[in-house]
Amino acid sequence: MNNKEILIKIKECIIKYDKISLFFHTNPDFDTLGSVFALKEYIKKIYNRKEVKILDINLLEESVFKKFPKYKIEKNPNENWIKKSLGIVCDTANKERIFCQKYSLCREIIKIDHHPNKEEYGILQWVDITYSSVCEMICDFLFFWDENFITEMIASYIYVGIYTDTNRFFYSCTSQNTFLNMQRLFKHIPNISEINFKLSERTIEELKFQNEIYKIIKFDKKNKIASLKIPKNIFKKYKIENNSMIWTMANIEGIEIWTSIYYDEKQKKWKGSIRSKSSDISIIASKYGGGGHEFASGFALKKDKEFDKVIEDLIKIKK
C-alpha cells in the first residue's frame, strides 16, 4: 500500500471504533508523547462521543512533562474497556518497548513508526523511515483527514515532537516535508516563540551540571570518537532528571562518532546513546540490546565496564 491508502485505512479503523487506546514507548520523549496527545485531541474534536485514552500516562512522573504543552492526565480504563478498543502504538519499533503492555488486550492494533521495522505487529503498519518523527507522520495524517479540526493545542503537541526529534531541525532526518509541515503548523500556533523559549530554557542548577559534564568527556582524536560515562550520583546532586547528555558532544570539529552512558536507577542498568555524522552505528546498538536509526541509536548495558567494548566496536566500524 502507498501512504494515501494506509492513511485511508487508519482513518476507517478509527471511525469504526467507539473506544481507542493510545500507546507510547518506555522512557518517553516528546515525539511519542506529542503524537498520542495530538491523536487523542484530534479524534475527540471530530467525534466527541468516542472514548480515547492514553494508557498508563498517569504513571509517568511530572518531570517528564516539564517543558511539554498543557495536558490532562486521566486514569486507566479497566481491562474490559481495553478489550473492546482499537489500539494505536506510536513511535515504538518493537513490542517490548511499549510502555503499557496491556496493548495485547486490544481488539486490533495499528503501528505508526519512523524507525526501521525491527518487529512487525498489528493488523496495520504505517512504518516510514523517511520521516523525521512520528509527529511529522501524524501531522500529514491530520492534514490529510481535515485541517479544520486542528486546534492550537493539537498543533503544539505535533510541533514539540518534530522540533525535539530533529534537534531543532539540525539532524539529517529533517527534510523538505518537515519544513512543509512546519509551514502548515505555524498558522495554528500564534505563540511559537514562547514554545521555543520554554524548550530551550535552563535552570542555574542545570548549567552547573552541564559544566561538570563537559569536564569528564573523553576525546579520542585519532579515531574521531568522543565518549562520556556519567557518574551514578551526579543527577541526584543537581536534582536533574536522568538523561544521556548525548547532545553535549554534538557538532565538534574532528569528532565523527559520540556516545554516552548513564545509570538508570529504576531499571537497574546502564543506558546508552550513540550518534554519528556519517557511519551506521545502529549495528553496534543492536549488538548491545538496543537499536534505532542509522545515525542515532540507543543501547543498554548490565555493567559500565562493557562501555569500553562498545567504544572498541565503534572504532572498528570507523576503519
Side-chain angles (χ1 to χ4, degrees), residues 287-300:
K287 181 179 177 180
Y288 293 93
H293 298 285
E294 189 176 4
F295 305 132
S297 292
F299 61 94

Side-chain angles (χ1 to χ4, degrees), residues 15 25 56 66 79 89 100 116 160 167-168 206 213 223 228 243 273 278 301 305 311:
I15 293 171
H25 64 65
D56 277 358
K66 184 179 178 183
E79 290 190 358
V89 184
C100 177
V160 297
N167 188 22
R168 296 171 295 174
E206 285 174 331
I213 289 297
N223 293 299
L228 168 65
N243 69 92
S273 295
S278 58
L301 305 173
K305 292 180 180 179
I311 295 170

Side-chain angles (χ1 to χ4, degrees), residues 17-203:
Y17 279 86
D18 292 325
K19 295 176 174 60
I20 298 166
S21 300
L22 301 173
F23 299 88
F24 53 92
H25 64 65
T26 56
N27 303 307
D29 56 14
F30 282 3
D31 187 29
T32 193
L33 292 176
S35 58
V36 292
F37 273 100
L39 272 176
K40 177 185 176 181
E41 293 300 317
Y42 186 86
I43 295 168
K44 290 292 292 180
K45 186 73 176 175
I46 298 181
Y47 303 105
N48 189 45
R49 292 185 179 182
K50 286 186 184 291
E51 296 180 78
V52 188
K53 308 287 185 182
I54 303 174
L55 269 67
D56 277 358
I57 196 72
N58 58 306
L59 300 182
L60 298 179
E61 295 180 6
E62 281 188 31
S63 57
V64 174
F65 298 97
K66 184 179 178 183
K67 299 181 179 182
F68 197 68
K70 292 180 181 178
Y71 62 94
K72 184 180 179 182
I73 299 297
E74 298 177 340
K75 291 182 180 179
N76 263 8
N78 59 44
E79 290 190 358
N80 286 331
W81 189 97
I82 300 171
K83 289 176 182 178
K84 298 175 184 177
S85 71
L86 166 70
I88 302 177
V89 184
C90 292
D91 197 32
T92 314
N94 56 308
K95 291 183 284 188
E96 186 182 1
R97 285 201 73 211
I98 301 173
F99 187 83
C100 177
Q101 286 294 304
K102 290 181 180 179
Y103 73 90
S104 58
L105 296 176
C106 293
R107 189 170 294 175
E108 292 182 310
I109 297 171
I110 295 173
K111 175 184 181 181
I112 303 176
D113 193 25
H114 71 125
H115 298 95
N117 205 3
K118 187 175 181 180
E119 181 180 7
E120 294 187 0
Y121 60 87
I123 59 151
L124 184 60
Q125 298 183 80
W126 182 22
V127 178
D128 193 333
I129 62 172
T130 64
Y131 276 94
S132 69
S133 54
V134 168
C135 273
E136 186 181 336
M137 298 172 76
I138 297 301
C139 189
D140 271 348
F141 176 52
L142 301 190
F143 275 94
F144 167 79
W145 192 329
D146 191 337
E147 181 182 353
N148 293 316
F149 292 96
I150 296 177
T151 63
E152 179 182 344
M153 186 54 64
I154 292 168
S156 297
Y157 289 142
I158 295 171
Y159 177 78
V160 297
I162 298 174
Y163 184 86
T164 54
D165 235 37
T166 59
N167 188 22
R168 296 171 295 174
F169 315 109
F170 180 80
Y171 291 153
S172 59
C173 60
T174 307
S175 67
Q176 182 178 346
N177 190 66
T178 308
F179 286 112
L180 174 62
N181 277 316
M182 286 298 102
Q183 181 184 13
R184 298 197 291 186
L185 289 172
F186 258 56
K187 58 184 174 182
H188 294 281
I189 313 174
N191 62 333
I192 284 278
S193 59
E194 290 179 25
I195 294 174
N196 290 344
F197 179 79
K198 187 176 180 180
L199 289 170
S200 59
E201 189 178 35
R202 296 177 294 173
T203 65

